[in-house]
């Protein structure tokens, strides 16, 4: 068995969760925050049999789009310098996916 951890953009998560549950996959949705952009994203935990990993990753790929974000970072060189905001273009997604071996799965 595998645990798929998928970090996706909030906008993509409703259709993704719907498609997964329509195919009878069990999904847990967590509200998360990206460390770099400090913006909300969604982390999905999906426990599957080994032979289901490809189908689930395909469903994730079908639902998750890459988007461009412009973020404003603050730059300062030495103490006392003025903070200079400068725009930075960042590509986010489609999804960051981890597939982990599960030692034991219990539903008691
Ligand atoms: P964030 O950390 O907010 O990162 C958003 C996007 O900013 C990333 O998109 C990437 O394009 C860029 N980025 C992140 N860290 C960077 C850095 N140190 N320098 C330059 N650019 C950087 P994605 O790679 O698609 O990641 C989207 C979100 O997925 C991330 O949000 C984070 O929440 C998660 N993530 C991605 N890779 C991860 C990893 N290896 N471990 C844990 N979480 C990860």
């Amino acid at each position: 068995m595998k645990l798929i951890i998928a970090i996706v953009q909030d906008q993509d998560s409703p259709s993704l969760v719907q498609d997964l549950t329509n195919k009878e996959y069990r999904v847990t949705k967590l509200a998360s925050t990206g460390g770099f952009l400090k913006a909300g994203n969604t982390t999905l935990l999906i426990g599957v049999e080994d032979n289901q990993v490809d189908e689930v990753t395909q469903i994730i790929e079908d639902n998750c789009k890459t988007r461009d974000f412009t973020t404003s970072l603050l730059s300062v060189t030495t103490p006392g310098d003025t903070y200079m905001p400068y725009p930075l273009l960042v590509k986010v997604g489609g999804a960051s996916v981890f597939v982990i071996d599960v030692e034991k799965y219990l539903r008691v």
Side-chain angles (χ1 to χ4, degrees):
M1 185 174 198
K2 305 282 188 198
L3 177 65
I4 299 176
I5 302 174
I7 304 165
V8 306
Q9 293 174 64
D10 290 344
Q11 301 95 307
D12 296 326
S13 89
S15 67
L16 174 55
V17 170
Q18 193 62 57
D19 282 4
L20 289 168
T21 51
N22 285 350
K23 294 247 176 184
E24 298 187 3
Y25 289 109
R26 293 165 192 265
V27 183
T28 296
K29 186 178 159 198
L30 307 173
S32 44
T33 304
F36 189 70
L37 290 179
K38 293 169 182 55
N41 54 27
T42 300
T43 299
L44 300 180
L45 307 181
I46 313 154
V48 298
E49 297 306 327
D50 290 16
N51 62 7
Q52 296 174 315
V53 170
D54 288 346
E55 182 177 45
V56 169
T57 48
Q58 187 60 54
I59 295 171
I60 294 170
E61 218 177 303
D62 292 344
N63 279 278
C64 296
K65 299 177 183 60
T66 301
R67 295 182 181 87
D68 289 331
F69 286 85
T70 306
T71 180
S72 176
L73 290 187
L74 292 177
S75 148
V76 62
T77 46
T78 55
D81 269 5
T82 315
Y83 281 93
M84 291 289 294
Y86 64 93
L88 180 73
L89 184 70
V90 170
K91 270 196 192 313
V92 181
S96 301
V97 181
F98 303 85
V99 180
I100 296 167
D101 284 325
V102 173
E103 197 169 313
K104 198 188 256 187
Y105 168 58
L106 299 174
R107 289 170 67 214
V108 292

